[in-house]
Amino acid sequence: MTTVDTLTITVELPEAFDPRWNRLPGITVDGKKITLDPEKYFFRFETNSWYIIDWQTVEDGLLNVDETEESAVEQMALEFIKTHGRSTRDAGEVLVIAHQVYSYLFRDEHLATLGLPRVTSEHLKMLREAATFMALNKVELDGHISNVGPCWFFPSATGVVFDLSEEDGQMLDEVYHGGWFNEHRRIEGIKVHTALGGRLVHGCQSVPDQSGGVVAPYGASMARFREELAGMKADWIEQVDSYRVTAA
């Protein structure tokens, strides 16, 4: 088994997180201050390095660049990561950048044109918070899933934290994975995820089935990724669900 540094992760973010995150083991939320105990938080924690780009670099250098007949947005994203990406062992830095990414991606201005009347500003805040934690999940180039936290299982985790029904949890999961069901939003999603070193992938099929989401490096083996997903999740989902607060 790989041994990694499991020192406590502490970071202060611009937005106060919901205190109900404290229901999950290893997470302590005190307003804007987030503390994670890796040994209690992660189901699997084999690496404490992540590939990132400073958000300001992405905002200035990629968000307003259009693809062309010669250069697709995916190619642009890959080249941008090669040029500007760097490795970090500071998980707090990853969380800061992830919060910037998802604050941009899930911003309130989209609500008027979503065509999803049940999705509210409060839902977007839930998405920003859960997706921020999901940025610490990790898949290696060979497709091996090296880091898994409870937010891998998006509907279960958000259901526990935000007291969502299974239906509402799946609705949130669809918006997270679907990037607003819109090509313009998909392109935006490809660009912003360069800040986290890759592209958003998930193992769900035609419906959300808790098969996870992660920002994977371009070139990662999706065959091994899918194979590992198939065998890893049942016990961990049960553990996450066990923290749900039920009415007396």
Side-chain angles (χ1 to χ4, degrees), residues 78-102:
L78 179 59
E79 290 301 321
F80 200 81
I81 291 168
K82 285 181 178 179
T83 302
H84 300 285
R86 60 183 174 87
S87 183
T88 182
R89 292 185 176 274
D90 183 350
E93 186 178 29
V94 178
L95 292 172
V96 167
I97 291 174
H99 188 260
Q100 291 170 315
V101 166
Y102 293 113

mmCIF file with all atom_site columns, all heavy atoms in Angstrom, residues 78-102:
data_model
loop_
_atom_site.group_PDB
_atom_site.id
_atom_site.type_symbol
_atom_site.label_atom_id
_atom_site.label_alt_id
_atom_site.label_comp_id
_atom_site.label_asym_id
_atom_site.label_entity_id
_atom_site.label_seq_id
_atom_site.pdbx_PDB_ins_code
_atom_site.Cartn_x
_atom_site.Cartn_y
_atom_site.Cartn_z
_atom_site.occupancy
_atom_site.B_iso_or_equiv
_atom_site.pdbx_formal_charge
_atom_site.auth_seq_id
_atom_site.auth_comp_id
_atom_site.auth_asym_id
_atom_site.auth_atom_id
_atom_site.pdbx_PDB_model_num
ATOM 1   N N   . LEU A 1 78  ? -5.669  20.789 -23.794 1.00 0.00 ? 78  LEU A N   1
ATOM 2   C CA  . LEU A 1 78  ? -4.507  19.939 -23.595 1.00 0.00 ? 78  LEU A CA  1
ATOM 3   C C   . LEU A 1 78  ? -3.215  20.741 -23.688 1.00 0.00 ? 78  LEU A C   1
ATOM 4   O O   . LEU A 1 78  ? -2.314  20.607 -22.843 1.00 0.00 ? 78  LEU A O   1
ATOM 5   C CB  . LEU A 1 78  ? -4.510  18.807 -24.622 1.00 0.00 ? 78  LEU A CB  1
ATOM 6   C CG  . LEU A 1 78  ? -3.337  17.821 -24.576 1.00 0.00 ? 78  LEU A CG  1
ATOM 7   C CD1 . LEU A 1 78  ? -3.251  17.145 -23.221 1.00 0.00 ? 78  LEU A CD1 1
ATOM 8   C CD2 . LEU A 1 78  ? -3.485  16.781 -25.691 1.00 0.00 ? 78  LEU A CD2 1
ATOM 9   N N   . GLU A 1 79  ? -3.108  21.595 -24.703 1.00 0.00 ? 79  GLU A N   1
ATOM 10  C CA  . GLU A 1 79  ? -1.898  22.406 -24.874 1.00 0.00 ? 79  GLU A CA  1
ATOM 11  C C   . GLU A 1 79  ? -1.739  23.403 -23.733 1.00 0.00 ? 79  GLU A C   1
ATOM 12  O O   . GLU A 1 79  ? -0.624  23.675 -23.278 1.00 0.00 ? 79  GLU A O   1
ATOM 13  C CB  . GLU A 1 79  ? -1.936  23.130 -26.222 1.00 0.00 ? 79  GLU A CB  1
ATOM 14  C CG  . GLU A 1 79  ? -1.780  22.230 -27.420 1.00 0.00 ? 79  GLU A CG  1
ATOM 15  C CD  . GLU A 1 79  ? -0.464  21.448 -27.391 1.00 0.00 ? 79  GLU A CD  1
ATOM 16  O OE1 . GLU A 1 79  ? 0.572   22.030 -26.979 1.00 0.00 ? 79  GLU A OE1 1
ATOM 17  O OE2 . GLU A 1 79  ? -0.482  20.252 -27.754 1.00 0.00 ? 79  GLU A OE2 1
ATOM 18  N N   . PHE A 1 80  ? -2.853  23.945 -23.280 1.00 0.00 ? 80  PHE A N   1
ATOM 19  C CA  . PHE A 1 80  ? -2.805  24.918 -22.188 1.00 0.00 ? 80  PHE A CA  1
ATOM 20  C C   . PHE A 1 80  ? -2.291  24.260 -20.909 1.00 0.00 ? 80  PHE A C   1
ATOM 21  O O   . PHE A 1 80  ? -1.476  24.844 -20.172 1.00 0.00 ? 80  PHE A O   1
ATOM 22  C CB  . PHE A 1 80  ? -4.199  25.515 -21.960 1.00 0.00 ? 80  PHE A CB  1
ATOM 23  C CG  . PHE A 1 80  ? -4.192  26.831 -21.233 1.00 0.00 ? 80  PHE A CG  1
ATOM 24  C CD1 . PHE A 1 80  ? -3.927  28.011 -21.912 1.00 0.00 ? 80  PHE A CD1 1
ATOM 25  C CD2 . PHE A 1 80  ? -4.456  26.889 -19.872 1.00 0.00 ? 80  PHE A CD2 1
ATOM 26  C CE1 . PHE A 1 80  ? -3.916  29.237 -21.244 1.00 0.00 ? 80  PHE A CE1 1
ATOM 27  C CE2 . PHE A 1 80  ? -4.448  28.099 -19.194 1.00 0.00 ? 80  PHE A CE2 1
ATOM 28  C CZ  . PHE A 1 80  ? -4.181  29.282 -19.882 1.00 0.00 ? 80  PHE A CZ  1
ATOM 29  N N   . ILE A 1 81  ? -2.745  23.032 -20.659 1.00 0.00 ? 81  ILE A N   1
ATOM 30  C CA  . ILE A 1 81  ? -2.274  22.299 -19.477 1.00 0.00 ? 81  ILE A CA  1
ATOM 31  C C   . ILE A 1 81  ? -0.787  21.994 -19.597 1.00 0.00 ? 81  ILE A C   1
ATOM 32  O O   . ILE A 1 81  ? -0.022  22.151 -18.638 1.00 0.00 ? 81  ILE A O   1
ATOM 33  C CB  . ILE A 1 81  ? -3.091  20.997 -19.301 1.00 0.00 ? 81  ILE A CB  1
ATOM 34  C CG1 . ILE A 1 81  ? -4.542  21.333 -18.904 1.00 0.00 ? 81  ILE A CG1 1
ATOM 35  C CG2 . ILE A 1 81  ? -2.451  20.089 -18.247 1.00 0.00 ? 81  ILE A CG2 1
ATOM 36  C CD1 . ILE A 1 81  ? -5.487  20.148 -18.978 1.00 0.00 ? 81  ILE A CD1 1
ATOM 37  N N   . LYS A 1 82  ? -0.358  21.580 -20.789 1.00 0.00 ? 82  LYS A N   1
ATOM 38  C CA  . LYS A 1 82  ? 1.070   21.287 -20.995 1.00 0.00 ? 82  LYS A CA  1
ATOM 39  C C   . LYS A 1 82  ? 1.929   22.521 -20.763 1.00 0.00 ? 82  LYS A C   1
ATOM 40  O O   . LYS A 1 82  ? 3.033   22.446 -20.212 1.00 0.00 ? 82  LYS A O   1
ATOM 41  C CB  . LYS A 1 82  ? 1.297   20.771 -22.422 1.00 0.00 ? 82  LYS A CB  1
ATOM 42  C CG  . LYS A 1 82  ? 0.832   19.341 -22.654 1.00 0.00 ? 82  LYS A CG  1
ATOM 43  C CD  . LYS A 1 82  ? 1.132   18.930 -24.093 1.00 0.00 ? 82  LYS A CD  1
ATOM 44  C CE  . LYS A 1 82  ? 0.722   17.496 -24.371 1.00 0.00 ? 82  LYS A CE  1
ATOM 45  N NZ  . LYS A 1 82  ? 0.995   17.111 -25.789 1.00 0.00 ? 82  LYS A NZ  1
ATOM 46  N N   . THR A 1 83  ? 1.426   23.679 -21.169 1.00 0.00 ? 83  THR A N   1
ATOM 47  C CA  . THR A 1 83  ? 2.199   24.918 -21.073 1.00 0.00 ? 83  THR A CA  1
ATOM 48  C C   . THR A 1 83  ? 2.205   25.486 -19.665 1.00 0.00 ? 83  THR A C   1
ATOM 49  O O   . THR A 1 83  ? 3.241   25.963 -19.184 1.00 0.00 ? 83  THR A O   1
ATOM 50  C CB  . THR A 1 83  ? 1.632   25.969 -22.049 1.00 0.00 ? 83  THR A CB  1
ATOM 51  O OG1 . THR A 1 83  ? 1.668   25.441 -23.370 1.00 0.00 ? 83  THR A OG1 1
ATOM 52  C CG2 . THR A 1 83  ? 2.439   27.260 -21.992 1.00 0.00 ? 83  THR A CG2 1
ATOM 53  N N   . HIS A 1 84  ? 1.058   25.439 -18.984 1.00 0.00 ? 84  HIS A N   1
ATOM 54  C CA  . HIS A 1 84  ? 0.918   26.179 -17.728 1.00 0.00 ? 84  HIS A CA  1
ATOM 55  C C   . HIS A 1 84  ? 0.771   25.300 -16.481 1.00 0.00 ? 84  HIS A C   1
ATOM 56  O O   . HIS A 1 84  ? 0.828   25.819 -15.359 1.00 0.00 ? 84  HIS A O   1
ATOM 57  C CB  . HIS A 1 84  ? -0.298  27.114 -17.807 1.00 0.00 ? 84  HIS A CB  1
ATOM 58  C CG  . HIS A 1 84  ? -0.213  28.137 -18.895 1.00 0.00 ? 84  HIS A CG  1
ATOM 59  N ND1 . HIS A 1 84  ? 0.590   29.248 -18.812 1.00 0.00 ? 84  HIS A ND1 1
ATOM 60  C CD2 . HIS A 1 84  ? -0.828  28.199 -20.113 1.00 0.00 ? 84  HIS A CD2 1
ATOM 61  C CE1 . HIS A 1 84  ? 0.464   29.971 -19.915 1.00 0.00 ? 84  HIS A CE1 1
ATOM 62  N NE2 . HIS A 1 84  ? -0.392  29.354 -20.717 1.00 0.00 ? 84  HIS A NE2 1
ATOM 63  N N   . GLY A 1 85  ? 0.552   23.998 -16.657 1.00 0.00 ? 85  GLY A N   1
ATOM 64  C CA  . GLY A 1 85  ? 0.291   23.136 -15.506 1.00 0.00 ? 85  GLY A CA  1
ATOM 65  C C   . GLY A 1 85  ? 1.499   22.958 -14.603 1.00 0.00 ? 85  GLY A C   1
ATOM 66  O O   . GLY A 1 85  ? 2.641   23.034 -15.035 1.00 0.00 ? 85  GLY A O   1
ATOM 67  N N   . ARG A 1 86  ? 1.203   22.735 -13.343 1.00 0.00 ? 86  ARG A N   1
ATOM 68  C CA  . ARG A 1 86  ? 2.262   22.460 -12.373 1.00 0.00 ? 86  ARG A CA  1
ATOM 69  C C   . ARG A 1 86  ? 1.730   21.509 -11.306 1.00 0.00 ? 86  ARG A C   1
ATOM 70  O O   . ARG A 1 86  ? 0.524   21.423 -11.062 1.00 0.00 ? 86  ARG A O   1
ATOM 71  C CB  . ARG A 1 86  ? 2.764   23.740 -11.716 1.00 0.00 ? 86  ARG A CB  1
ATOM 72  C CG  . ARG A 1 86  ? 1.701   24.510 -10.947 1.00 0.00 ? 86  ARG A CG  1
ATOM 73  C CD  . ARG A 1 86  ? 2.260   25.803 -10.374 1.00 0.00 ? 86  ARG A CD  1
ATOM 74  N NE  . ARG A 1 86  ? 1.214   26.629 -9.746  1.00 0.00 ? 86  ARG A NE  1
ATOM 75  C CZ  . ARG A 1 86  ? 0.831   26.493 -8.483  1.00 0.00 ? 86  ARG A CZ  1
ATOM 76  N NH1 . ARG A 1 86  ? 1.384   25.567 -7.701  1.00 0.00 ? 86  ARG A NH1 1
ATOM 77  N NH2 . ARG A 1 86  ? -0.109  27.271 -7.979  1.00 0.00 ? 86  ARG A NH2 1
ATOM 78  N N   . SER A 1 87  ? 2.637   20.795 -10.683 1.00 0.00 ? 87  SER A N   1
ATOM 79  C CA  . SER A 1 87  ? 2.268   19.855 -9.634  1.00 0.00 ? 87  SER A CA  1
ATOM 80  C C   . SER A 1 87  ? 2.288   20.549 -8.282  1.00 0.00 ? 87  SER A C   1
ATOM 81  O O   . SER A 1 87  ? 3.127   21.413 -8.034  1.00 0.00 ? 87  SER A O   1
ATOM 82  C CB  . SER A 1 87  ? 3.242   18.674 -9.648  1.00 0.00 ? 87  SER A CB  1
ATOM 83  O OG  . SER A 1 87  ? 2.868   17.705 -8.687  1.00 0.00 ? 87  SER A OG  1
ATOM 84  N N   . THR A 1 88  ? 1.356   20.162 -7.410  1.00 0.00 ? 88  THR A N   1
ATOM 85  C CA  . THR A 1 88  ? 1.342   20.703 -6.049  1.00 0.00 ? 88  THR A CA  1
ATOM 86  C C   . THR A 1 88  ? 1.028   19.589 -5.060  1.00 0.00 ? 88  THR A C   1
ATOM 87  O O   . THR A 1 88  ? 0.292   18.650 -5.376  1.00 0.00 ? 88  THR A O   1
ATOM 88  C CB  . THR A 1 88  ? 0.310   21.829 -5.892  1.00 0.00 ? 88  THR A CB  1
ATOM 89  O OG1 . THR A 1 88  ? 0.383   22.354 -4.541  1.00 0.00 ? 88  THR A OG1 1
ATOM 90  C CG2 . THR A 1 88  ? -1.112  21.347 -6.130  1.00 0.00 ? 88  THR A CG2 1
ATOM 91  N N   . ARG A 1 89  ? 1.592   19.712 -3.883  1.00 0.00 ? 89  ARG A N   1
ATOM 92  C CA  . ARG A 1 89  ? 1.255   18.806 -2.787  1.00 0.00 ? 89  ARG A CA  1
ATOM 93  C C   . ARG A 1 89  ? 0.405   19.516 -1.733  1.00 0.00 ? 89  ARG A C   1
ATOM 94  O O   . ARG A 1 89  ? 0.154   18.963 -0.661  1.00 0.00 ? 89  ARG A O   1
ATOM 95  C CB  . ARG A 1 89  ? 2.534   18.238 -2.149  1.00 0.00 ? 89  ARG A CB  1
ATOM 96  C CG  . ARG A 1 89  ? 3.288   17.289 -3.074  1.00 0.00 ? 89  ARG A CG  1
ATOM 97  C CD  . ARG A 1 89  ? 4.481   16.651 -2.367  1.00 0.00 ? 89  ARG A CD  1
ATOM 98  N NE  . ARG A 1 89  ? 5.135   15.687 -3.232  1.00 0.00 ? 89  ARG A NE  1
ATOM 99  C CZ  . ARG A 1 89  ? 4.783   14.405 -3.355  1.00 0.00 ? 89  ARG A CZ  1
ATOM 100 N NH1 . ARG A 1 89  ? 3.763   13.943 -2.651  1.00 0.00 ? 89  ARG A NH1 1
ATOM 101 N NH2 . ARG A 1 89  ? 5.439   13.606 -4.161  1.00 0.00 ? 89  ARG A NH2 1
ATOM 102 N N   . ASP A 1 90  ? -0.018  20.718 -2.054  1.00 0.00 ? 90  ASP A N   1
ATOM 103 C CA  . ASP A 1 90  ? -0.829  21.532 -1.140  1.00 0.00 ? 90  ASP A CA  1
ATOM 104 C C   . ASP A 1 90  ? -2.303  21.323 -1.476  1.00 0.00 ? 90  ASP A C   1
ATOM 105 O O   . ASP A 1 90  ? -2.837  21.943 -2.403  1.00 0.00 ? 90  ASP A O   1
ATOM 106 C CB  . ASP A 1 90  ? -0.431  23.001 -1.278  1.00 0.00 ? 90  ASP A CB  1
ATOM 107 C CG  . ASP A 1 90  ? -1.169  23.903 -0.300  1.00 0.00 ? 90  ASP A CG  1
ATOM 108 O OD1 . ASP A 1 90  ? -2.120  23.431 0.365   1.00 0.00 ? 90  ASP A OD1 1
ATOM 109 O OD2 . ASP A 1 90  ? -0.812  25.090 -0.218  1.00 0.00 ? 90  ASP A OD2 1
ATOM 110 N N   . ALA A 1 91  ? -2.959  20.452 -0.738  1.00 0.00 ? 91  ALA A N   1
ATOM 111 C CA  . ALA A 1 91  ? -4.373  20.172 -1.004  1.00 0.00 ? 91  ALA A CA  1
ATOM 112 C C   . ALA A 1 91  ? -5.244  21.401 -0.795  1.00 0.00 ? 91  ALA A C   1
ATOM 113 O O   . ALA A 1 91  ? -6.272  21.573 -1.458  1.00 0.00 ? 91  ALA A O   1
ATOM 114 C CB  . ALA A 1 91  ? -4.862  19.028 -0.110  1.00 0.00 ? 91  ALA A CB  1
ATOM 115 N N   . GLY A 1 92  ? -4.836  22.274 0.113   1.00 0.00 ? 92  GLY A N   1
ATOM 116 C CA  . GLY A 1 92  ? -5.575  23.512 0.319   1.00 0.00 ? 92  GLY A CA  1
ATOM 117 C C   . GLY A 1 92  ? -5.572  24.378 -0.923  1.00 0.00 ? 92  GLY A C   1
ATOM 118 O O   . GLY A 1 92  ? -6.589  25.000 -1.264  1.00 0.00 ? 92  GLY A O   1
ATOM 119 N N   . GLU A 1 93  ? -4.439  24.404 -1.628  1.00 0.00 ? 93  GLU A N   1
ATOM 120 C CA  . GLU A 1 93  ? -4.353  25.154 -2.881  1.00 0.00 ? 93  GLU A CA  1
ATOM 121 C C   . GLU A 1 93  ? -5.301  24.568 -3.922  1.00 0.00 ? 93  GLU A C   1
ATOM 122 O O   . GLU A 1 93  ? -5.957  25.297 -4.669  1.00 0.00 ? 93  GLU A O   1
ATOM 123 C CB  . GLU A 1 93  ? -2.916  25.139 -3.395  1.00 0.00 ? 93  GLU A CB  1
ATOM 124 C CG  . GLU A 1 93  ? -2.689  25.998 -4.613  1.00 0.00 ? 93  GLU A CG  1
ATOM 125 C CD  . GLU A 1 93  ? -1.244  26.016 -5.075  1.00 0.00 ? 93  GLU A CD  1
ATOM 126 O OE1 . GLU A 1 93  ? -0.523  25.023 -4.860  1.00 0.00 ? 93  GLU A OE1 1
ATOM 127 O OE2 . GLU A 1 93  ? -0.837  27.032 -5.661  1.00 0.00 ? 93  GLU A OE2 1
ATOM 128 N N   . VAL A 1 94  ? -5.399  23.246 -3.966  1.00 0.00 ? 94  VAL A N   1
ATOM 129 C CA  . VAL A 1 94  ? -6.331  22.585 -4.887  1.00 0.00 ? 94  VAL A CA  1
ATOM 130 C C   . VAL A 1 94  ? -7.768  23.002 -4.576  1.00 0.00 ? 94  VAL A C   1
ATOM 131 O O   . VAL A 1 94  ? -8.551  23.319 -5.476  1.00 0.00 ? 94  VAL A O   1
ATOM 132 C CB  . VAL A 1 94  ? -6.191  21.055 -4.811  1.00 0.00 ? 94  VAL A CB  1
ATOM 133 C CG1 . VAL A 1 94  ? -7.201  20.381 -5.737  1.00 0.00 ? 94  VAL A CG1 1
ATOM 134 C CG2 . VAL A 1 94  ? -4.780  20.609 -5.153  1.00 0.00 ? 94  VAL A CG2 1
ATOM 135 N N   . LEU A 1 95  ? -8.113  23.021 -3.304  1.00 0.00 ? 95  LEU A N   1
ATOM 136 C CA  . LEU A 1 95  ? -9.475  23.404 -2.909  1.00 0.00 ? 95  LEU A CA  1
ATOM 137 C C   . LEU A 1 95  ? -9.775  24.857 -3.267  1.00 0.00 ? 95  LEU A C   1
ATOM 138 O O   . LEU A 1 95  ? -10.887 25.177 -3.704  1.00 0.00 ? 95  LEU A O   1
ATOM 139 C CB  . LEU A 1 95  ? -9.674  23.178 -1.410  1.00 0.00 ? 95  LEU A CB  1
ATOM 140 C CG  . LEU A 1 95  ? -9.672  21.712 -0.949  1.00 0.00 ? 95  LEU A CG  1
ATOM 141 C CD1 . LEU A 1 95  ? -9.681  21.627 0.579   1.00 0.00 ? 95  LEU A CD1 1
ATOM 142 C CD2 . LEU A 1 95  ? -10.867 20.960 -1.523  1.00 0.00 ? 95  LEU A CD2 1
ATOM 143 N N   . VAL A 1 96  ? -8.805  25.743 -3.093  1.00 0.00 ? 96  VAL A N   1
ATOM 144 C CA  . VAL A 1 96  ? -9.001  27.162 -3.453  1.00 0.00 ? 96  VAL A CA  1
ATOM 145 C C   . VAL A 1 96  ? -9.274  27.292 -4.944  1.00 0.00 ? 96  VAL A C   1
ATOM 146 O O   . VAL A 1 96  ? -10.221 27.976 -5.368  1.00 0.00 ? 96  VAL A O   1
ATOM 147 C CB  . VAL A 1 96  ? -7.773  27.999 -3.047  1.00 0.00 ? 96  VAL A CB  1
ATOM 148 C CG1 . VAL A 1 96  ? -7.830  29.384 -3.694  1.00 0.00 ? 96  VAL A CG1 1
ATOM 149 C CG2 . VAL A 1 96  ? -7.704  28.144 -1.533  1.00 0.00 ? 96  VAL A CG2 1
ATOM 150 N N   . ILE A 1 97  ? -8.448  26.632 -5.771  1.00 0.00 ? 97  ILE A N   1
ATOM 151 C CA  . ILE A 1 97  ? -8.629  26.715 -7.222  1.00 0.00 ? 97  ILE A CA  1
ATOM 152 C C   . ILE A 1 97  ? -9.948  26.057 -7.630  1.00 0.00 ? 97  ILE A C   1
ATOM 153 O O   . ILE A 1 97  ? -10.680 26.584 -8.474  1.00 0.00 ? 97  ILE A O   1
ATOM 154 C CB  . ILE A 1 97  ? -7.435  26.072 -7.948  1.00 0.00 ? 97  ILE A CB  1
ATOM 155 C CG1 . ILE A 1 97  ? -6.185  26.928 -7.746  1.00 0.00 ? 97  ILE A CG1 1
ATOM 156 C CG2 . ILE A 1 97  ? -7.721  25.902 -9.437  1.00 0.00 ? 97  ILE A CG2 1
ATOM 157 C CD1 . ILE A 1 97  ? -4.907  26.331 -8.301  1.00 0.00 ? 97  ILE A CD1 1
ATOM 158 N N   . ALA A 1 98  ? -10.265 24.921 -7.016  1.00 0.00 ? 98  ALA A N   1
ATOM 159 C CA  . ALA A 1 98  ? -11.524 24.246 -7.340  1.00 0.00 ? 98  ALA A CA  1
ATOM 160 C C   . ALA A 1 98  ? -12.724 25.131 -7.023  1.00 0.00 ? 98  ALA A C   1
ATOM 161 O O   . ALA A 1 98  ? -13.690 25.200 -7.803  1.00 0.00 ? 98  ALA A O   1
ATOM 162 C CB  . ALA A 1 98  ? -11.633 22.933 -6.565  1.00 0.00 ? 98  ALA A CB  1
ATOM 163 N N   . HIS A 1 99  ? -12.663 25.842 -5.917  1.00 0.00 ? 99  HIS A N   1
ATOM 164 C CA  . HIS A 1 99  ? -13.775 26.728 -5.573  1.00 0.00 ? 99  HIS A CA  1
ATOM 165 C C   . HIS A 1 99  ? -13.897 27.866 -6.577  1.00 0.00 ? 99  HIS A C   1
ATOM 166 O O   . HIS A 1 99  ? -15.007 28.275 -6.940  1.00 0.00 ? 99  HIS A O   1
ATOM 167 C CB  . HIS A 1 99  ? -13.595 27.287 -4.158  1.00 0.00 ? 99  HIS A CB  1
ATOM 168 C CG  . HIS A 1 99  ? -14.777 28.054 -3.674  1.00 0.00 ? 99  HIS A CG  1
ATOM 169 N ND1 . HIS A 1 99  ? -14.841 29.429 -3.695  1.00 0.00 ? 99  HIS A ND1 1
ATOM 170 C CD2 . HIS A 1 99  ? -15.982 27.629 -3.191  1.00 0.00 ? 99  HIS A CD2 1
ATOM 171 C CE1 . HIS A 1 99  ? -16.005 29.820 -3.233  1.00 0.00 ? 99  HIS A CE1 1
ATOM 172 N NE2 . HIS A 1 99  ? -16.716 28.757 -2.916  1.00 0.00 ? 99  HIS A NE2 1
ATOM 173 N N   . GLN A 1 100 ? -12.762 28.357 -7.075  1.00 0.00 ? 100 GLN A N   1
ATOM 174 C CA  . GLN A 1 100 ? -12.803 29.394 -8.113  1.00 0.00 ? 100 GLN A CA  1
ATOM 175 C C   . GLN A 1 100 ? -13.408 28.836 -9.410  1.00 0.00 ? 100 GLN A C   1
ATOM 176 O O   . GLN A 1 100 ? -14.221 29.498 -10.072 1.00 0.00 ? 100 GLN A O   1
ATOM 177 C CB  . GLN A 1 100 ? -11.389 29.916 -8.361  1.00 0.00 ? 100 GLN A CB  1
ATOM 178 C CG  . GLN A 1 100 ? -10.818 30.712 -7.193  1.00 0.00 ? 100 GLN A CG  1
ATOM 179 C CD  . GLN A 1 100 ? -9.338  31.013 -7.369  1.00 0.00 ? 100 GLN A CD  1
ATOM 180 O OE1 . GLN A 1 100 ? -8.547  30.134 -7.742  1.00 0.00 ? 100 GLN A OE1 1
ATOM 181 N NE2 . GLN A 1 100 ? -8.936  32.250 -7.090  1.00 0.00 ? 100 GLN A NE2 1
ATOM 182 N N   . VAL A 1 101 ? -13.005 27.622 -9.764  1.00 0.00 ? 101 VAL A N   1
ATOM 183 C CA  . VAL A 1 101 ? -13.539 26.971 -10.969 1.00 0.00 ? 101 VAL A CA  1
ATOM 184 C C   . VAL A 1 101 ? -15.052 26.831 -10.890 1.00 0.00 ? 101 VAL A C   1
ATOM 185 O O   . VAL A 1 101 ? -15.785 27.216 -11.818 1.00 0.00 ? 101 VAL A O   1
ATOM 186 C CB  . VAL A 1 101 ? -12.887 25.577 -11.157 1.00 0.00 ? 101 VAL A CB  1
ATOM 187 C CG1 . VAL A 1 101 ? -13.656 24.752 -12.192 1.00 0.00 ? 101 VAL A CG1 1
ATOM 188 C CG2 . VAL A 1 101 ? -11.437 25.710 -11.571 1.00 0.00 ? 101 VAL A CG2 1
ATOM 189 N N   . TYR A 1 102 ? -15.530 26.293 -9.782  1.00 0.00 ? 102 TYR A N   1
ATOM 190 C CA  . TYR A 1 102 ? -16.960 25.982 -9.701  1.00 0.00 ? 102 TYR A CA  1
ATOM 191 C C   . TYR A 1 102 ? -17.805 27.201 -9.348  1.00 0.00 ? 102 TYR A C   1
ATOM 192 O O   . TYR A 1 102 ? -19.001 27.223 -9.634  1.00 0.00 ? 102 TYR A O   1
ATOM 193 C CB  . TYR A 1 102 ? -17.177 24.817 -8.743  1.00 0.00 ? 102 TYR A CB  1
ATOM 194 C CG  . TYR A 1 102 ? -16.579 23.544 -9.332  1.00 0.00 ? 102 TYR A CG  1
ATOM 195 C CD1 . TYR A 1 102 ? -15.487 22.922 -8.755  1.00 0.00 ? 102 TYR A CD1 1
ATOM 196 C CD2 . TYR A 1 102 ? -17.081 23.011 -10.519 1.00 0.00 ? 102 TYR A CD2 1
ATOM 197 C CE1 . TYR A 1 102 ? -14.917 21.794 -9.325  1.00 0.00 ? 102 TYR A CE1 1
ATOM 198 C CE2 . TYR A 1 102 ? -16.524 21.886 -11.101 1.00 0.00 ? 102 TYR A CE2 1
ATOM 199 C CZ  . TYR A 1 102 ? -15.446 21.284 -10.505 1.00 0.00 ? 102 TYR A CZ  1
ATOM 200 O OH  . TYR A 1 102 ? -14.887 20.177 -11.086 1.00 0.00 ? 102 TYR A OH  1
#
